[in-house]
Amino acid sequence: MIKLLYYLKKYRVAAIAALVMMLIELAVELAQPYLISKIIDNGIQQGDLSVVWLWGGVLVGSAIVAFVAGIASSFFASHASLGFGYDLREKLYDKVQAFSYAVFNRFATSSLITRLTGDVTQVQDTVFMSLRFMTRVPLVVIGSMIMAVVVNLRLGLLLVVMVPVLLVFVIWMIKKAALLFRNVQRRLDAVNGVIQENLTGIRLIRVFVRMGHEIERFAGFSGKLMKGTISALRLTETTMPFMLLMMNGCIIAVLWFGRRDISTGSASVGEVVAVINYLLRTIGAMSALSWILVTFSRASASAQRINEVFDTEDPSEAAQKSVVVQDQAAGKQERANAVQGAVEFRNVGFSYPNSDITVLEDITFSAKRGERIAIMGATGSGKSSLVQLIPRLYTEDQGKVFIDGRDADQLPIPTLRGAIGYVPQEVVLFTGSVRDNIAWGREDATLEEIKEAAKRAQIHDTIEKLPNGYDTQLGQRGVNLSGGQKQRLSIARALIRRPSILILDDSTSALDVATEARLLDALEELSCTTFIITQKISSTTSADLILLLDDGRLIGQGKHEDLMDSSELYRRIYGSQYGEGTPHVQSVH
């Protein structure tokens, strides 16, 4: 938690003002029991109404001052905490955006969402409570002890002896509760993960009539969250009864000894009343500790989870940050022109981080600028992994990837990625209009350029038929579009970048043969190096180079005619699609 307070530095003036106003409010409240004792002893006991009116007026005036100071303290505390939360969330989001793909995958998406929302909000609220209340509690306790001793040493010592016992108990409780609430946050991550999966796959769940199963599954995770929360709250809630028992016992002791001191003349009625008032204020402050205990324990767990993200080391973080910053700057086209598009793999081997499974092994091929490279192979053969090495989403373990004859690791990532158009296997569309989704690939694109990209992607006519054309708002994840329409929209978004290297990761699977043929013809005009992951022979016949993968190994490469002569697997794929030979595709081992 202390590490995160760095982000409060920007708002230190408001934070200090909140504390000053709180101290004024506190000073007034601590003085009030003393003033009441004067009214009782010097006014009511002596029958002097002038003293009652004098100190009564001071009491009313001080209450007004405390009221104004309390409002001002809340205002400044809100300003500081909300600004702190905004900056913390922004920096945390920047950190996540700067993660390389390998590091990003260490965290579950649901966990990152919880950290960016619930955890940051929890810490933000704790900062407000600290400025407004948490700092006040120990000061009330300390101030009450001091004032009680000042009013009457003998009776005040009862309060002084009791408070340390309570503090030891509370500190022990906070440590125990922090561990429990950390477990609660982990279970909340699990619940959010189930929710995310269910909302994303709601169509599949309904088609397979698995609603009941998923409801039971959600109830199981939610039940664990409930039990964990109950365990944590049960522990923290025992704080209040114990403290009340101790405090009420102290009040009884003050009343007992106070009665005796009054009878012997060593204490006045006003002094006993004042000490009781300070005891009651201490009870109020200590009672708030139960609530503060829960808040601080949750914040401690949340702060630890936030720091886990901040403390995650990523060797490529500086380069990733450069991508985020420079992608918002001008000159994207200059970066794109810096890469011509020639790609070469030399003895490349690759395994995913924290995995012993070899995904790619000894991959060697060369693609000249402007060539079309088709990549084929069974599911899990390493096709997507291969193309992800080109934009440096991952880095090879062995061998080297070269771009235009240069080691890809030596190219600035913004320069490399600024020259690449990438269409992932899973279509991702964003909230907004059709126009916004295409222009997302290049923010400075004009409407004419957007339409031109849509025409090349074979989606322009479809867009024109939509209710509002290019201004038609897309539903969640493009739900109001078909699979083929979403694929073509994603392709248009990549083409608007005018890339030197275009990567289509099985992104024409939903297109019919005629539409796909028109798309491939349109791509010829771009003169970009195109990598197409496909299972269709119709997409490979015109390719300059076909890469045939099997279990991460390159078992064949060449043009269509070459592979028809040299590869049994390629002939079987051809036969299965055109009715010649074996009707099923099988891997060759």
Side-chain angles (χ1 to χ4, degrees):
M1 183 72 182
I2 295 176
K3 290 175 62 177
L4 298 182
L5 293 182
Y6 168 80
Y7 297 99
L8 191 60
K9 183 178 180 181
K10 180 178 176 182
Y11 306 96
R12 59 183 176 273
V13 174
I16 292 171
L19 291 174
V20 169
M21 291 296 105
M22 183 272 295
L23 289 174
I24 293 174
E25 179 187 23
L26 177 63
V28 171
E29 290 188 9
L30 290 175
Q32 286 175 344
Y34 180 77
L35 295 176
I36 292 172
S37 71
K38 292 298 182 183
I39 293 173
I40 293 174
D41 291 341
N42 300 334
I44 297 175
Q45 290 283 78
Q46 302 297 326
D48 189 347
L49 289 179
S50 63
V51 174
V52 174
W53 283 109
L54 173 63
W55 291 111
V58 173
L59 193 64
V60 172
S62 65
I64 294 173
V65 171
F67 174 74
V68 174
I71 291 177
S73 178
S74 293
F75 172 79
F76 287 119
S78 296
H79 175 73
S81 62
L82 290 173
F84 164 83
Y86 172 82
D87 288 349
L88 179 59
R89 185 176 287 109
E90 185 179 41
K91 294 298 182 182
L92 188 62
Y93 189 76
D94 287 347
K95 177 74 176 183
V96 173
Q97 286 287 316
F99 279 159
S100 65
Y101 209 54
V103 173
F104 179 81
N105 286 336
R106 295 180 192 174
F107 298 91
T109 302
S110 57
S111 177
L112 288 175
I113 291 173
T114 304
R115 295 174 202 235
L116 281 162
T117 53
D119 287 334
V120 171
T121 300
Q122 187 68 49
V123 175
Q124 171 188 298
D125 291 345
T126 303
V127 169
F128 173 80
M129 296 302 177
S130 297
L131 294 174
R132 188 66 187 97
F133 300 111
M134 290 184 187
T135 311
R136 173 192 175 91
V137 168
L139 293 177
V140 168
V141 174
I142 295 171
S144 295
M145 288 191 297
I146 294 173
M147 290 301 296
V149 170
V150 169
V151 170
N152 188 288
L153 178 61
R154 176 185 171 88
L155 297 177
L157 286 176
L158 293 173
L159 182 59
V160 173
V161 170
M162 180 202 61
V163 168
V165 176
L166 291 178
L167 288 179
V168 170
F169 171 74
V170 168
I171 292 172
W172 174 81
M173 189 69 75
I174 287 176
K175 291 182 179 179
K176 295 285 289 183
L179 295 174
L180 292 175
F181 279 114
R182 202 169 299 139
N183 184 49
V184 168
Q185 293 300 96
R186 285 195 293 267
R187 292 183 177 184
L188 179 60
D189 283 348
V191 170
N192 287 340
V194 173
I195 292 173
Q196 183 184 22
E197 289 177 356
N198 275 259
L199 295 180
T200 303
I202 189 67
R203 289 186 179 181
L204 190 64
I205 292 171
R206 292 185 175 180
V207 169
F208 278 76
V209 196
R210 299 288 286 173
M211 291 84 75
H213 169 77
E214 291 301 324
I215 289 172
E216 290 180 5
R217 181 165 167 255
F218 174 78
F221 281 92
S222 183
K224 291 179 181 178
L225 174 62
M226 180 188 70
K227 291 178 181 178
T229 305
I230 289 174
S231 297
L233 292 178
R234 184 184 292 125
L235 176 65
T236 57
E237 289 302 320
T238 59
T239 308
M240 176 60 77
F242 179 79
M243 288 194 301
L244 286 178
L245 177 64
M246 294 289 292
M247 297 299 292
N248 288 327
C250 189
I251 289 177
I252 293 173
V254 170
L255 290 173
W256 175 266
F257 290 106
R259 179 190 63 81
R260 293 176 57 184
D261 290 349
I262 290 173
S263 63
T264 60
S266 58
S268 66
V269 174
E271 289 174 349
V272 174
V273 171
V275 173
I276 292 296
N277 264 286
Y278 287 123
L279 265 170
L280 292 174
R281 276 171 166 71
T282 304
I283 288 177
M286 299 296 282
S287 298
L289 278 178
S290 177
W291 162 66
I292 291 174
L293 172 64
V294 175
T295 303
F296 192 82
S297 297
R298 285 181 176 272
S300 177
S302 294
Q304 185 179 30
R305 286 158 49 81
I306 292 171
N307 282 323
E308 283 178 5
V309 178
F310 280 129
D311 294 341
T312 299
E313 295 183 1
D314 188 350
S316 60
E317 181 176 349
Q320 297 290 334
K321 285 183 177 179
S322 180
V323 173
V324 175
V325 173
Q326 294 191 40
D327 271 353
Q328 298 173 353
K332 295 177 184 177
Q333 197 55 45
E334 285 77 5
R335 294 204 307 272
N337 292 335
V339 174
Q340 300 302 310
V343 178
E344 182 181 0
F345 278 50
R346 294 182 191 171
N347 308 112
V348 169
F350 172 69
S351 299
Y352 284 104
N354 303 318
S355 173
D356 297 329
I357 300 175
T358 300
V359 179
L360 296 173
E361 181 180 353
D362 196 26
I363 304 296
T364 300
F365 71 89
S366 179
K368 297 178 182 177
R369 174 188 177 186
E371 287 188 337
R372 180 181 300 167
I373 296 85
I375 306 174
M376 299 190 75
T379 301
S381 59
K383 303 184 296 297
S384 295
S385 300
L386 186 150
V387 296
Q388 287 178 4
L389 297 178
I390 298 174
R392 318 311 282 162
L393 295 179
Y394 291 99
T395 304
E396 63 276 2
D397 302 324
Q398 300 171 354
K400 283 293 180 182
V401 176
F402 294 88
I403 306 293
D404 297 334
R406 296 172 58 188
D407 186 342
D409 284 337
Q410 303 304 316
L411 279 172
I413 288 184
T415 300
L416 175 61
R417 293 182 182 171
I420 293 176
Y422 179 58
V423 185
Q425 189 172 9
E426 181 181 355
V427 176
V428 177
L429 297 178
F430 299 92
T431 301
S433 65
V434 171
R435 177 177 179 174
D436 293 336
N437 269 271
I438 297 177
W440 193 87
R442 185 162 64 90
E443 294 179 3
D444 60 349
T446 65
L447 179 59
E448 289 304 314
E449 290 174 323
I450 291 172
K451 289 183 177 180
E452 181 62 27
K455 289 176 182 177
R456 293 183 189 276
Q458 310 303 310
I459 190 67
H460 173 72
D461 293 340
T462 301
I463 296 173
E464 289 288 299
K465 294 176 183 177
L466 294 174
N468 297 308
Y470 282 84
D471 292 323
T472 300
Q473 295 294 312
L474 297 181
Q476 186 180 28
R477 299 175 64 87
V479 69
N480 47 343
L481 298 178
S482 68
Q485 290 169 344
K486 287 189 282 189
Q487 283 188 340
R488 283 177 283 164
L489 199 60
S490 296
I491 293 172
R493 184 171 61 202
L495 297 182
I496 196 69
R497 296 170 65 84
R498 299 174 184 169
S500 299
I501 300 173
L502 177 63
I503 299 173
L504 305 178
D505 188 354
D506 201 19
S507 49
T508 62
S509 58
L511 305 185
D512 59 74
V513 175
T515 301
E516 184 182 34
R518 291 195 299 270
L519 170 64
L520 296 178
D521 288 341
L523 295 181
E524 292 282 358
E525 303 171 10
L526 295 179
S527 300
C528 63
T529 307
T530 306
F531 289 84
I532 304 176
I533 294 178
T534 182
Q535 298 292 348
K536 300 177 182 178
I537 292 294
S538 58
S539 301
T540 66
T541 52
S542 61
D544 298 294
L545 177 66
I546 302 171
L547 303 178
L548 194 60
L549 294 178
D550 184 56
D551 285 342
R553 293 176 292 108
L554 186 58
I555 62 173
Q557 61 175 302
K559 292 190 175 183
H560 171 74
E561 296 79 8
D562 299 330
L563 291 180
M564 285 295 290
D565 292 336
S566 62
S567 173
E568 175 65 23
L569 173 60
Y570 189 79
R571 286 195 296 270
R572 286 210 296 267
I573 296 174
Y574 182 88
S576 69
Q577 295 184 23
Y578 287 91
E580 302 174 14
T582 308
H584 299 290
V585 179
Q586 299 176 358
S587 297
V588 175
H589 297 283

